[in-house]
Each structure stands twice: as C-alpha cells, then as structure tokens.
Amino acid sequence: MDLSHAALLLAAGLAAGTVNAVAGGGSLITFPAMIAVGLPPVPANVSNSVAVFPGYVASVAGSRMDLPRPRALATLVPTTIVGTILGALLLLATPARAFELVVPFLVLGATAVLAFQDPLRRLVGHPRDLSPRQRTVAVQTMVALGAVYGGYFGAALGVMLVAGLALVLDATLARVSAIKNLLSAVVGLTTLVVFGLFGPVNWAAVAVVAPATLVGGYAGARLVRRLPPVLLKTVIVVFGTTIGLYLLWRALG
C-alpha cells in the first residue's frame, strides 16, 4: 500500500465514521475506497465490515447520554448477535448477486418508512397503544431483521435500524439514534469476530481505516445531539434515498 492509497483510506474512514453516527451509510464511502486501492469485492466488503467497528464504538460513547437504562437494552443484544452471525455466514456461503438486487429496495423501503413514520403509525398503531408483548415482538423483529442485513452487507445499516426502531419505539429520534449506535456496535463486534476468523480480511487496510472511523464516529455522535429532530430526520431520509438509488444504479449497472 503506497502513501496515496493510505491517504484515501484515512479520509474515507474519517468521513464514514461521521456519516455512520449521524445517519448510516458510511460503508458506501469506505467500501468503494477499498475497491479503489485494489482489493477484490469480497475482501473489500469483509475488511470494510471489520474496519468500521471502532467508529460504532465511538458513536456509542458520544451518544451515551441518550441511551435508556441497560436493562431495557439487554434483551436486544442476543437477538442482534444471532441475526448478525446468520447474515455474516450467508455472505460467506452464498453468491451475492441476488441479494445485491434486493438491497436497494430494502434501503429505499426503510427510508420511506422513516419519512412517512407518522401516517404509518396511524395506520398500524402507535407503540404506546400496543400491549407490552406486542411491543416486545415488534422491537425484536426489527432488530433481528436489521442485524441479518448488517451481517450480510452493512451499508446503510443505520438507516435500516433507525427506520425500524422509530416505527416501533415511543422515543425521541435522538434516543433511537443512540440505540442504533449501540446495536450497530454489537453488529460490528460480531462481524469482526466472524470475519476475523473465517473471512479474507486485509488487515493493512483495516489498520488505516479503523482509527479514522473512531474519530469520525465520536464527532458525528456529538453532532446528532445538537441537531433538531426534524433536521435529523431530514438528513437521514436524504442519506437513505441517495444510498438506495446509488445501490440500485450499481446493481443494475
């Protein structure tokens, strides 16, 4: 790896860490950067999943004041781990082409769910109107689906989690974003273990990108706490739409 490649990966990691903390989709910065420095697609995807993990941890640190009590999150962690392992094993065991065609529609669908959150809540019911059992099932289902997606592909994981959790949780968007950061960190740690043991990780690329995502992730999480809810939602919807259209263009190209 020459100096220009290292500089490209460093800049991509810093930008990706910030974007992941604010809206999600930072992998669409680091993944193409790894392709640009010469990594094949699968090693680039695997290395990218490992490299962005420190940024998720930094995002958790930056948004910790908005997290609910640990007891409220404890039941979500096992679901996240199991879902991520399933998604990661799916990536290692199956051709990616079919999923690449589905992913853009998943991202665009999740973005639409967030954009039209209030009308959808009136249609399916507000979380506070559901029984405790119904709320638990809804939240666990959203987390499981997001974790499988995160283990398989990861790009726009934040958009997926925010959209799903905002629909089933009666919480501010800042709190939803903080929970998203924590669950993304669990996804990141799980993929790090799975891909570190079984995946074709390029550790040189990871060594450059990971520290940069750490700095960007903390800065992005602090920025989220200062954004008005309407502006934060707008930013996430714009990011999600852009990412979904980009993935669709790439899949059909």
Side-chain angles (χ1 to χ4, degrees):
M1 182 183 299
D2 60 30
L3 187 60
S4 62
H5 288 172
L8 174 62
L9 292 178
L10 191 68
L14 183 63
T18 305
V19 169
N20 276 338
V22 175
S27 290
L28 292 179
I29 301 172
T30 47
F31 177 72
M34 290 188 177
I35 293 290
V37 301
L39 293 184
V42 172
N45 190 21
V46 169
S47 302
N48 176 70
S49 295
V50 174
V52 298
F53 167 66
Y56 289 138
V57 175
S59 299
V60 174
S63 60
R64 65 190 181 278
M65 298 301 293
D66 291 311
L67 284 170
R69 291 175 300 176
R71 183 180 299 178
L73 298 170
T75 59
L76 300 181
V77 174
T79 303
T80 306
I81 293 173
V82 172
T84 305
I85 291 174
L86 290 175
L89 294 177
L90 187 64
L91 172 65
L92 296 176
T94 63
R97 179 56 182 166
F99 198 80
E100 285 178 357
L101 293 173
V102 175
V103 165
F105 297 101
L106 293 177
V107 175
L108 291 171
T111 304
V113 167
L114 183 62
F116 300 102
Q117 175 186 335
D118 292 334
L120 284 172
R121 276 183 167 177
R122 288 194 293 269
L123 182 64
V124 303
H126 196 281
R128 72 170 69 100
D129 298 327
L130 302 176
S131 69
R133 179 182 176 83
Q134 289 174 320
R135 282 198 301 270
T136 299
V137 171
V139 172
Q140 291 285 354
T141 299
M142 290 298 182
V143 170
L145 293 174
V148 171
Y149 174 86
Y152 190 98
F153 189 64
L157 173 61
V159 176
M160 303 287 283
L161 288 175
V162 168
L165 292 174
L167 189 62
V168 298
L169 289 177
D170 185 17
T172 65
L173 198 55
R175 169 157 288 189
V176 169
S177 182
I179 296 172
K180 173 264 295 181
N181 290 338
L182 178 63
L183 296 181
S184 296
V186 175
V187 170
L189 177 60
T190 307
T191 55
L192 187 153
V193 172
V194 174
F195 292 149
L197 292 174
F198 305 110
V201 178
N202 185 298
W203 291 106
V206 170
V208 176
V209 173
T213 67
L214 192 66
V215 176
Y218 187 82
R222 302 300 292 178
L223 175 62
V224 166
R225 301 195 77 233
R226 292 171 169 79
L227 291 177
V230 173
L231 179 58
L232 178 58
K233 179 186 285 190
T234 301
V235 169
I236 297 173
V237 168
V238 170
F239 265 99
T241 302
T242 304
I243 291 165
L245 292 175
Y246 168 77
L247 289 172
L248 183 61
W249 170 79
R250 195 177 72 178
L252 299 177

